[in-house]
Amino acid sequence: MKKFVAKRIYPEGYLYRGYVIERRQQDYVYWSIGETVDSLGNYREPTEKSHFYNVVWHDSTDTLRDAKYLIDTVYYKGDVRLN
């Protein structure tokens, strides 16, 4: 099985299997999961921090590890993207 790695793209954000995982903090710390889109709503592979201004957020988890697990189990089946 291929092991995927979260790539840090800015101080509070990671790119993992095409999804953005961002650390947020209000009264507690949580991790939001989303994907970048262009102005028409089409998926866009992010290459710069400026691309994260149009992120469609889907879910959140308590830890980065949980966010990666959720992407692996819910958004992918094997190596096939479900969304």
Side-chain angles (χ1 to χ4, degrees):
M1 183 171 157
K2 183 175 179 182
K3 182 174 172 96
F4 295 93
V5 177
K7 176 184 173 188
R8 179 173 267 178
I9 47 179
Y10 55 94
E12 302 284 325
Y14 294 84
L15 182 63
Y16 182 73
R17 297 186 80 172
Y19 289 91
V20 178
I21 304 173
E22 184 175 278
R23 181 183 187 271
R24 297 192 176 182
Q25 184 170 350
Q26 292 178 345
D27 295 336
Y28 58 94
V29 174
Y30 65 98
W31 296 81
S32 292
I33 302 168
E35 59 186 329
T36 54
V37 294
D38 62 14
S39 59
L40 299 174
N42 299 317
Y43 175 75
R44 178 177 179 178
E45 183 74 30
T47 57
E48 299 176 16
K49 182 179 177 182
S50 63
H51 293 176
F52 292 93
Y53 295 162
N54 291 325
V55 177
V56 176
W57 300 105
H58 299 290
D59 293 304
S60 65
T61 61
D62 292 328
T63 65
L64 176 61
R65 183 181 201 172
D66 290 344
K68 294 189 314 184
Y69 178 78
L70 185 68
I71 291 170
D72 289 338
T73 58
V74 174
Y75 293 92
Y76 283 86
K77 181 171 180 150
D79 284 333
V80 179
R81 186 175 177 151
L82 299 177
N83 293 350

